[in-house]
Amino acid sequence: MSQHHDQKIVLAIDQKPKLGQGILLSIQHLFAMFGATVLVPALTGMSPAIALISSGIGTLVFILITKGKVPSYLGSSFAFINPIIAMKALEANPESGIAIGSFLVGSFLVGVTYSLVALFIAKAGTKWLMELLPPIVVGPVIMVIGLGLASTAIKMVTNNPSGEYDLTYVTIGFITLIITIVTAIFSKGFLSVIPVLVGIIGGYLFSIAMGVVDLAPVLQAKWFMIPDFTVPFIHYTPTLSWYVIFLMIPVAIVPIAEHIGHQLVLSKVVNKDLIDDPGLDRSMLGDGVATMIAACLGGPPNTTYGENIGVLAITRAFSIYVFIGAACFAILFGFCGKISALLSTIPTPVMGGVSILLFGIIASSGLRMLIENNVDFKIKRNLIISSVILIIGIGGAAIHIGDLFSLEGMALASIIGVALNLILPGRESISFKEMFNEENK
């Protein structure tokens, strides 16, 4: 990756851009995170407007906690799509005994978990985290997220609102997918950074031509509108159950590992060791506080965004002010009724078409992690750990003990993966410094 260092830095982290340049760069970062940040609430039945506002506020808080040294954007985390869908289904069923708003309590606890991990890192350093979450555990767990969502993406493309197979929907889904792929592979400059957004816009225009879109809500919506925030103690009474704890918290393993990976990659891109200064404890705490704030507004858990790191690598404009600008735009967009209404009219197959690629990329990035860290599958230990994680995670295995305790899917796979790694003989130790130096060779 040394080619990064030969390229000229356009804007240093603490450098202020000129107004026009700053606005354009900020909007580009907004576009880079937009598709994925809006997709999570679209899939889980949450409000895209609140997701935008909470991602903006979360990013500002993150920048504050990391003393303006880590150029990162925080958007909705994909890891929690399935747990949130499962929780909301239970909340809708009065017989389940799961209280309304429990998924938000779960999200809040995820933020608390990040913060506790940050506290541990501050006290005990990073070595213990690498022992718990080596690539052989994290890689397959990331693959489980992508592959576990595969059926969601395909249903979005093939089924109409009444749940029947619909060729029009399939056509829209595949046209969207093709536009996204063509943009990602063949476009240059600005467009190459936002293939997801280009795909969504292309698919949307095609859907209008196919007569699937109803634009009436957009015309009726006001320009300024306060979204329906879901605030604890006002809209619901937070209640804690074992179910919430065991469905949501184990999944936090994934964004924590993702966060570490992002900080390593970002350190490479900006050529500064961010794990050392401002420290992994500060960036992790920023992530935690942002997620707790999001949960209190009714938004999904946050995570640092790889899409925006990609933009940084291409533009070489590392200025923290660009991220402050992007966060402010996201908050403004969230309060714009017309934009919220427009987002709600995007047909499901358009989001499905983009999701085929996005979820696949998540799965592939887990695979990439295994390859880049030279995980050797001739070693039985590695083969066993990854095989068990993949099948338990994708197969949707579950442990239910009455109504008290439930552990399933990815959460169960993560815990079993960590346990197997700790129990099976032949474990290797690796430190962050080694990983950073390895990556920088």
Side-chain angles (χ1 to χ4, degrees):
M1 289 299 250
S2 57
Q3 78 268 18
H4 280 319
H5 312 322
D6 310 336
Q7 295 173 323
K8 212 164 101 285
I9 291 176
V10 178
L11 286 168
I13 293 177
D14 54 0
Q15 202 176 342
K16 273 191 182 166
K18 294 190 185 74
L19 185 66
Q21 180 193 26
I23 288 173
L24 280 176
L25 287 167
S26 293
I27 288 175
Q28 174 161 284
H29 275 290
L30 180 76
F31 279 171
M33 67 84 193
F34 201 87
T37 294
V38 170
L39 185 63
V40 175
L43 291 174
T44 52
M46 297 167 89
S47 156
I50 295 173
L52 282 173
I53 293 166
S54 60
S55 85
I57 295 172
T59 301
L60 294 175
V61 168
F62 178 87
I63 289 171
L64 202 67
I65 291 176
T66 53
K67 306 186 198 163
K69 290 181 178 178
V70 183
S72 272
Y73 194 92
L74 271 65
S76 316
S77 169
F78 274 65
F80 297 94
I81 294 175
N82 269 344
I84 290 174
I85 292 172
M87 294 281 296
K88 289 190 80 161
L90 285 167
E91 287 175 30
N93 173 9
E95 288 169 20
S96 71
I98 299 290
I100 297 292
S102 288
F103 75 99
L104 292 173
V105 176
S107 298
F108 187 84
L109 291 175
V110 166
V112 173
T113 309
Y114 293 165
S115 308
L116 290 174
V117 170
L119 201 67
F120 257 108
I121 293 171
K123 291 275 174 284
T126 51
K127 193 166 172 10
W128 64 278
L129 204 55
M130 283 308 289
E131 295 281 333
L132 272 185
L133 302 174
I136 184 58
V137 174
V138 180
V141 168
I142 293 174
M143 290 167 75
V144 165
I145 296 179
L147 297 173
L149 290 165
S151 58
T152 308
I154 300 302
K155 275 193 198 115
M156 288 167 76
V157 170
T158 49
N159 296 354
N160 63 18
S162 53
E164 291 147 1
Y165 178 86
D166 190 324
L167 192 60
T168 311
Y169 269 44
V170 176
T171 313
I172 292 171
F174 278 101
I175 294 280
T176 306
L177 177 61
I178 290 162
I179 294 170
T180 314
I181 292 171
V182 168
T183 310
I185 299 285
F186 298 106
S187 62
K188 297 205 164 28
F190 180 45
L191 284 182
S192 66
V193 182
I194 52 163
V196 171
L197 195 72
V198 175
I200 291 174
I201 293 169
Y204 189 70
L205 294 173
F206 181 71
S207 306
I208 293 175
M210 298 288 279
V212 179
V213 181
D214 175 19
L215 288 169
V218 184
L219 299 172
Q220 289 157 8
K222 297 189 181 75
W223 279 104
F224 178 79
M225 204 176 99
I226 296 173
D228 300 325
F229 292 108
T230 313
V231 185
F233 302 110
I234 297 175
H235 299 110
Y236 67 96
T237 309
T239 44
L240 196 55
S241 67
W242 286 110
Y243 195 87
V244 178
I245 292 171
F246 285 110
L247 191 63
M248 296 283 278
I249 288 181
V251 181
I253 288 173
V254 176
I256 288 169
E258 194 177 43
H259 180 95
I260 298 163
H262 283 164
Q263 296 307 308
L264 283 167
V265 174
L266 193 56
S267 298
K268 264 192 321 203
V269 172
V270 302
N271 204 17
K272 279 199 171 117
D273 187 353
L274 302 172
I275 302 255
D276 184 46
D277 174 36
L280 193 61
D281 52 336
R282 275 189 177 269
S283 59
M284 191 73 84
L285 180 66
D287 222 339
V289 175
T291 296
M292 289 191 266
I293 292 171
C296 292
L297 297 174
N302 283 329
T303 185
T304 47
Y305 257 34
E307 287 90 336
N308 296 84
I309 298 174
V311 174
L312 281 181
I314 292 167
T315 61
R316 316 286 301 147
F318 306 143
S319 169
I320 203 78
Y321 297 101
V322 170
F323 285 90
I324 294 171
C328 295
F329 278 125
I331 295 167
L332 282 174
F333 270 33
F335 282 111
C336 176
K338 292 262 187 227
I339 289 174
S340 302
L342 188 68
L343 292 176
S344 67
T345 62
I346 299 174
T348 329
V350 171
M351 287 307 204
V354 173
S355 300
I356 290 176
L357 188 61
L358 278 178
F359 299 161
I361 288 174
I362 294 172
S364 305
S365 66
L367 190 60
R368 195 172 109 196
M369 181 179 234
L370 294 170
I371 295 167
E372 284 181 354
N373 288 284
N374 300 322
V375 174
D376 186 354
F377 280 98
K378 290 205 266 311
I379 298 171
K380 279 185 189 160
R381 173 183 203 279
N382 293 341
L383 195 60
I384 288 168
I385 294 172
S386 63
S387 307
V388 172
I389 292 174
L390 287 170
I391 297 302
I392 286 179
I394 297 165
I399 298 174
H400 298 295
I401 304 173
D403 292 336
L404 284 175
F405 174 89
S406 177
L407 197 55
E408 53 198 78
M410 191 170 62
L412 181 61
S414 305
I415 289 176
I416 289 179
V418 169
L420 281 176
N421 175 58
L422 294 175
I423 295 162
L424 296 180
R427 185 159 46 116
E428 291 174 12
S429 287
I430 178 168
S431 70
F432 280 122
K433 278 278 179 255
E434 282 167 14
M435 265 177 85
F436 182 65
N437 294 335
E438 189 64 41
E439 303 250 339
N440 256 346
K441 273 179 191 164

